[in-house]
Amino acid sequence: MLSVVIFLPLAAAALLVLPRLGRRAVLGIWIGAAAVDLALVLVMWLGYGSGIAHETRLRWIPSIGAGYHVGVDGLSLPLIAMTAVLFLLCAVYSVRETRRPRAYAALFLFLQTVCTGLFAALDLLLFFVFFDLSIVGMYFLIVGWGHGEARRSALQFFLYTFLGSLVLLLGFIGLFLAGGTFDMVELIQNPPAASALVLLAIGLGLAIKTPTVPVHTWLPPAHTDAPAAGSAILAGVLLKMGTYGLVRIAMPMMPQAWRAYAWVIIIVGVVSVLYGALAALAQENIKRLIAYTSVNHMGYIVLALGAAGLSSGASRAKDLAVTGAVTQMVSHGLLTGALFLLTGVLWDRARSYDAGRFGGIAANAPVFTALATVAAFGSLGLPGLSGFIAEFQIFIGVIGTGAIVAGALSILGILITAALFLRLLHRAFLGEPGELTGRMLEARPSEIAAVAPLLLLSLAIGIAPRWLLDLIEPASALVVSWVSR
């Protein structure tokens, strides 16, 4: 079933080459394929027990021990489900897209296969193939349907992240030379004696994709100039490829190196938290502001994973840190996906992201304002929403491992994030009307139908998170035990 989930969107994309398909038929195929894919993922979730499930092994390049090896566990299944939800809602959001809808839908379906395949991959070479293909898909999405300086931003995105993928490939080759295989399960069971340079290469390649400071500079322009649904996928799904790679590959396959450089990873995480929050606070462009908050939120994840490698602290604290990090990946995908879709409404109406040119939007568009407010409060970690559950576990875990100063400094990021979102809500949605406020009409049904489920899922995790944590916690404990070997 897992391979069907991975390749169903690609098969639907192939259908779009049929001649005489009208726009409505294209959208029907796109939404239908994404809905069926989500239904299959839910079936996998409900039938999941423990360990690796829905595993498939096929020979690919036996001479180097590489194969088509896929499966799901408590780390990958939540991210695959989040991916399916976000792609379906982006399809719903895009029903009004009129510019080359066939190619637009095909690119999203292609990206859905690539993203799902990466989270399911249990072979390093397969992981790398999906990792690289995601760059290609997003590049064409920004170039073809972006705005502003889309070509320049897309080129910067491609060159930056492609360079990162080449460095990542060098790291994978190092793991292969040390371990004799590309199979992830075998490399985790028998971690190779890889050098610190291998961890550096893999860490740098994944850090660019995450992105962490100082290798984050491709992110703000790519987000600013991408179409709204593209930004939602870029922030909600593609950024998780870096953090997921840290949990799936770097930590369990190089436990000694991860423990040896745990403090370096923690420092990178803290710097990303504070820099991302402060840079967001200084932005006038709403989309750039949200982009920098992604750097901030990814910093929490890096910090938590670094803390799990410390020799001090109880294993329970490390379990909490890793569980919080994985929960944060899901939460950020939902909330930031919603925020970027809402910025698309601003651009659709007023062709601007400048917060200073708006004001009093709440009077014209109360539903749009309510959605933006919930998404903003969720992103700043308000109790009752998913961000609080994730960040609370991260802070307890990080401080419990002995990284007390790092944990305390990272909490400052929450304060700054709260300030910047409240400032944004005050300037753009409340107060006196701005020069563009008159153009802001209420959110359309398709826009509400795309954003509201993301916020409801965040609310469900925030109020009753056990259904998600029961899946993540055993896998997190296993990662901690691997790192402690």
Side-chain angles (χ1 to χ4, degrees):
M1 180 184 289
L2 180 57
S3 293
V4 175
V5 169
I6 295 171
F7 292 106
L8 176 64
L10 190 62
L15 280 179
L16 298 182
V17 303
L18 294 174
R20 298 184 180 180
L21 272 181
R23 180 173 165 274
R24 290 175 66 88
V26 168
L27 290 171
I29 291 173
W30 183 10
I31 294 175
V36 171
D37 216 47
L38 176 58
L40 293 174
V41 172
L42 291 177
V43 171
M44 285 201 308
W45 186 309
L46 293 174
Y48 178 76
S50 61
I52 296 176
H54 301 284
E55 192 173 8
T56 301
R57 285 176 184 262
L58 295 174
R59 289 163 63 88
W60 181 21
I61 314 175
S63 58
I64 57 173
Y68 174 77
H69 188 187
V70 294
V72 293
D73 62 4
L75 297 178
S76 56
L77 193 50
L79 292 173
I80 289 174
M82 183 267 291
T83 299
V85 168
L86 203 50
F87 270 96
L88 172 60
L89 296 177
C90 283
V92 172
Y93 179 88
S94 303
V95 294
R96 291 176 58 82
E97 179 61 51
T98 55
R99 294 178 296 168
R100 306 181 300 282
R102 189 188 301 231
Y104 190 69
L107 267 178
F108 271 94
L109 289 165
F110 168 77
L111 273 172
Q112 185 169 356
T113 284
V114 167
C115 295
T116 308
L118 181 137
F119 292 131
L122 293 176
D123 182 278
L124 287 178
L125 207 54
L126 191 63
F127 180 97
F128 178 78
V129 168
F130 286 128
F131 191 91
D132 247 16
L133 290 177
S134 72
I135 300 171
V136 177
M138 185 52 66
Y139 168 79
F140 284 112
L141 204 55
I142 298 174
V143 166
W145 289 266
H147 44 259
E149 298 182 346
R151 289 183 179 277
R152 180 179 177 181
S153 298
L155 183 61
Q156 184 179 358
F157 160 78
F158 185 91
L159 292 178
Y160 216 135
T161 53
F162 188 65
L163 176 63
S165 77
L166 294 181
V167 177
L168 183 66
L169 180 60
L170 288 176
F172 285 178
I173 291 172
L175 272 180
F176 169 75
L177 293 175
T181 180
F182 282 106
D183 191 274
M184 290 186 185
V185 176
E186 292 182 28
L187 288 169
I188 290 172
Q189 290 173 345
N190 302 294
S195 68
L197 281 176
V198 176
L199 177 62
L200 178 63
I202 292 176
L204 181 60
L206 296 173
I208 291 174
K209 193 81 166 183
T210 296
T212 56
V213 175
V215 287
H216 68 287
T217 52
W218 61 268
L219 183 71
H223 271 307
T224 303
D225 296 330
S231 290
I233 295 301
L234 178 58
V237 182
L238 264 63
L239 300 193
K240 310 306 178 303
M241 293 178 175
T243 51
Y244 175 75
L246 294 176
V247 185
R248 174 64 74 192
I249 298 169
M251 294 177 73
M253 295 183 198
M254 293 173 285
Q256 292 183 348
W258 190 266
R259 292 198 304 272
Y261 293 95
W263 276 110
V264 175
I265 298 163
I266 288 172
I267 291 170
V268 170
V270 172
V271 170
S272 296
V273 166
L274 295 178
Y275 176 84
L278 290 170
L281 185 63
Q283 300 304 313
E284 286 294 312
N285 184 302
I286 296 173
K287 225 176 174 189
R288 287 181 71 90
L289 180 153
I290 299 169
Y292 275 111
T293 62
S294 292
V295 177
N296 162 264
H297 284 103
M298 293 301 101
Y300 292 124
I301 297 172
V302 174
L303 165 66
L305 299 181
L310 291 176
S311 56
S312 59
S315 61
R316 176 60 181 155
K318 297 176 184 177
D319 292 352
L320 273 174
V322 176
T323 301
V326 178
T327 308
Q328 177 77 323
M329 293 184 211
V330 176
S331 171
H332 182 264
L334 299 175
L335 292 168
T336 306
L339 283 169
F340 276 121
L341 292 181
L342 289 168
T343 61
V345 177
L346 290 177
W347 182 262
D348 180 70
R349 310 291 195 275
R351 290 290 186 266
S352 175
Y353 299 120
D354 189 344
R357 300 176 69 189
F358 293 98
I361 292 177
N364 288 2
V367 175
F368 174 73
T369 301
L371 293 173
T373 303
V374 174
F377 278 123
S379 191
L380 63 85
L382 190 76
L385 293 160
S386 56
F388 175 78
I389 300 296
E391 289 163 13
F392 191 65
Q393 292 182 99
I394 288 174
F395 294 139
I396 291 180
V398 169
I399 293 173
T401 59
I404 298 172
V405 175
L409 286 173
S410 65
I411 290 176
L412 282 176
I414 296 280
L415 186 64
I416 300 169
T417 307
L420 69 91
F421 273 118
L422 291 175
R423 175 169 168 263
L424 174 64
L425 290 173
H426 177 76
R427 293 185 65 190
F429 292 88
L430 306 173
E432 296 297 322
E435 62 174 293
L436 297 177
T437 304
R439 300 186 189 180
M440 279 307 300
L441 304 177
E442 186 55 282
R444 299 185 180 96
S446 61
E447 294 161 348
I448 297 171
V451 174
L454 295 171
L455 302 181
L456 288 173
L457 276 172
S458 176
L459 191 65
I461 296 171
I463 293 174
R466 186 45 54 191
W467 59 275
L468 177 63
L469 298 182
D470 281 346
L471 186 63
I472 297 173
E473 283 176 349
S476 299
L478 205 54
V479 170
V480 170
S481 70
W482 287 329
V483 173
S484 302
R485 286 177 290 183

